[in-house]
């Protein structure tokens, strides 16, 4: 299971590096535009009752369809669906449980990068929610994981993580003032 976690975590770091993301909250509109993805609300009733979003691949063009939810939840749903795209998930491949886990991990990693939260010395869910513009529920999950990471104190051990941290260094310096 750790390999799955590590692969999706690393994919999130690579994504942040590739798109030059250096501040929070993440500008998802800019990212989907750069990726050529269209995002639209589920006005046609395509989503199943338990779905917040889906990705449709129409002849190589990705479309993310999202339920009309509060903006923080919608941002997480879009990041989750971007995760499916980046990780190469398709309707006919992989294990759906693992795919969902990977997409969740990816979304958390790009919306609230642990090394950035560490650099800012942020611990509380409310602070994470505000800084990252994510729901308090997602922020509580992130805060619990951050508590584990703070105890381990193994930040910046990966070259990718160090690169992400460096990319956010100006943001961290300005935010901490």
């Amino acid at each position: 299971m750790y390999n799955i976690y590590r692969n999706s975590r690393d994919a999130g770091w690579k994504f942040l590096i590739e798109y030059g993301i250096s501040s929070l909250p993440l500008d998802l509109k800019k990212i989907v535009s750069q990726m050529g993805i269209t995002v639209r609300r589920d006005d046609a009733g395509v989503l199943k009752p338990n779905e917040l979003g889906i990705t449709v691949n129409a002849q190589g063009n990705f479309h993310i369809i999202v339920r009309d939810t509060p903006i923080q939840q919608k941002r997480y749903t879009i990041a989750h669906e971007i995760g499916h795209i980046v990780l190469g998930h398709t309707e006919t491949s992989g294990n759906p449980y693992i795919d969902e886990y990977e997409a969740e991990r990816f979304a958390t990693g790009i919306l609230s990068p642990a090394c950035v939260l560490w650099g800012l010395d942020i611990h509380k869910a409310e602070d994470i929610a505000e800084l990252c513009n994510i729901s308090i529920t997602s922020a509580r999950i992130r805060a619990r994981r951050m508590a584990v990471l703070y105890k381990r104190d193994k930040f910046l051990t990966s070259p990718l993580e160090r690169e992400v941290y460096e990319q956010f260094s100006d943001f961290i310096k300005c935010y901490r003032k």
Side-chain angles (χ1 to χ4, degrees):
M1 188 68 159
Y2 182 71
N3 284 340
I4 295 166
Y5 166 85
R6 187 183 63 231
N7 290 339
S8 55
R9 177 202 65 199
D10 290 359
W13 286 337
K14 288 174 185 174
F15 182 85
L16 292 170
I17 293 163
E18 179 181 344
Y19 285 91
I21 298 162
S22 59
S23 65
L24 298 174
L26 210 65
D27 186 345
L28 283 173
K29 287 181 183 181
K30 181 179 175 185
I31 291 167
V32 295
S33 176
Q34 288 176 313
M35 295 179 78
I37 298 170
T38 58
V39 177
R40 59 185 170 94
R41 193 176 53 222
D42 184 30
D43 292 332
V46 174
L47 296 174
K48 295 175 188 169
N50 63 331
E51 291 178 321
L52 294 176
I54 60 169
T55 298
V56 177
N57 183 349
Q59 300 171 341
N61 296 311
F62 289 104
H63 307 274
I64 296 174
I65 302 168
V66 294
R67 191 171 302 286
D68 192 16
T69 57
I71 189 65
Q72 293 82 4
Q73 190 172 28
K74 197 176 299 178
R75 286 172 45 76
Y76 193 87
T77 300
I78 292 166
H80 175 97
E81 295 303 321
I82 290 171
H84 283 304
I85 294 166
V86 169
L87 295 164
H89 301 159
T90 66
E91 293 175 27
T92 59
S93 71
N95 178 320
Y97 298 105
I98 291 173
D99 288 356
E100 288 304 308
Y101 173 80
E102 287 179 325
E104 289 292 315
R105 176 65 201 99
F106 178 89
T108 299
I110 67 168
L111 290 172
S112 55
C115 63
V116 176
L117 298 178
W118 169 77
L120 297 170
D121 196 28
I122 292 180
H123 296 257
K124 295 180 185 174
E126 296 78 12
D127 296 335
I128 295 170
E130 183 179 338
L131 174 69
C132 302
N133 197 16
I134 59 176
S135 71
I136 191 64
T137 301
S138 294
R140 285 183 182 127
I141 293 167
R142 188 47 151 171
R144 282 193 298 272
R145 179 68 183 151
M146 287 301 297
V148 171
L149 295 174
Y150 277 118
K151 280 184 184 177
R152 285 187 187 157
D153 194 28
K154 300 257 186 198
F155 292 97
L156 309 182
T157 59
S158 161
L160 285 172
E161 186 180 29
R162 286 192 296 274
E163 192 170 343
V164 169
Y165 187 80
E166 180 58 33
Q167 198 163 287
F168 276 86
S169 64
D170 288 342
F171 174 78
I172 292 167
K173 287 173 192 168
C174 289
Y175 189 89
R176 289 195 76 155
K177 288 183 180 182

